[in-house]
Amino acid sequence: CGWGRPVVRLQMEGLKRFIVTPETAKHRVFVFADAALLPDNMLTVIALEDAFFFGVLSSRAHTRWAISAGGRLGYGNDPRYTKVRCFDPFPFPVPTPALITRIRELADQLDSHRKRQQSLHPGLTITGMYNVLEKLRSGEALTAKEKDVNKQGLVAVLKQLHDDLDAAVFEAYGWPGTLTDEEILERLVALNAERAEEEKRGL
């Protein structure tokens, strides 16, 4: 994050909130942080308060890109997020105003849902919720502890919010919702190359 650097403070001026994600984490999750927070160097700070960007970053399109581009680190070989490799080259979609609004709404709902459930259950963690979400997606049986997390975190609601957000982001790209992870990466790499060519032409 480099919070002490003047450029970071300058980027944060006037923002009411900003996006953060841990540099290294089992699950690539983004959250909105209040502007009063002083993030440490283990967090990657994205100086944007628009929920549209939060929604795209939280979507399957970006999380698959980030896992592929960022590499892994640490005791658990967890995915690592770096600005230069994961954020800077990522090609955002250019959707219609209606889709921008839809992605914003879903993104705010996602952030609010997690924070609300954690405030109601202080022992509930993001990692715990997303561990259960992975099991729900794979059809694996939940342990007794995971069943408690599922209930406290309303993980079925979390899953639906992510599914709806993914669908909206895919539509923003003009892609079908049935793409595999490999197909997502292929399309993002091609779009990145297309954008780079446009920049060379001054677009």
Side-chain angles (χ1 to χ4, degrees), residues 123-140:
L124 186 65
T125 66
I126 290 288
T127 300
M129 283 191 280
Y130 280 83
N131 284 341
V132 170
L133 177 58
E134 277 194 356
K135 281 200 166 184
L136 291 181
R137 291 194 186 283
S138 68
E140 291 182 64

Side-chain angles (χ1 to χ4, degrees), residues 73-106:
L73 185 72
Y75 177 77
N77 197 30
D78 291 331
R80 186 167 183 256
Y81 194 91
T82 60
K83 172 185 175 293
V84 173
R85 296 184 64 179
C86 300
F87 183 82
D88 288 349
F90 178 74
F92 281 83
V94 184
T96 64
L99 270 175
I100 290 175
T101 298
R102 173 71 172 152
I103 291 169
R104 280 175 178 155
E105 290 173 348
L106 288 167

Side-chain angles (χ1 to χ4, degrees), residues 8 11-12 15 17-19 45-49:
V8 177
Q11 290 173 340
M12 303 292 289
L15 297 184
R17 61 183 184 179
F18 56 89
I19 303 167
V45 173
I46 300 167
L48 295 168
E49 61 182 352

Side-chain angles (χ1 to χ4, degrees), residues 6 25 31-32 37 47 51 58 69 97-98 112 120-121 132 134 137 143 149 154 157-158 174 187 193 203:
V31 299
F32 268 129
L37 176 72
S58 299
S112 297
L120 292 172
H121 306 281
V132 170
E134 277 194 356
R137 291 194 186 283
T143 65
V149 172
L154 298 178
V157 175
L158 179 67
R187 290 182 181 231
L203 300 178

Side-chain angles (χ1 to χ4, degrees), residues 25 34 40 44 50 52 64 66 68 71 73 75 77 84 93 103 113 115 117 149 159 166 172 180 182 195:
D34 189 273
D40 66 21
T44 297
D50 189 336
F52 165 73
R64 295 305 179 270
S68 177
L73 185 72
Y75 177 77
N77 197 30
V84 173
I103 291 169
H113 172 78
K115 288 174 177 173
Q117 296 312 118
V149 172
K159 178 181 180 299
D166 286 344
T180 64
E182 184 176 347
R195 297 277 176 82

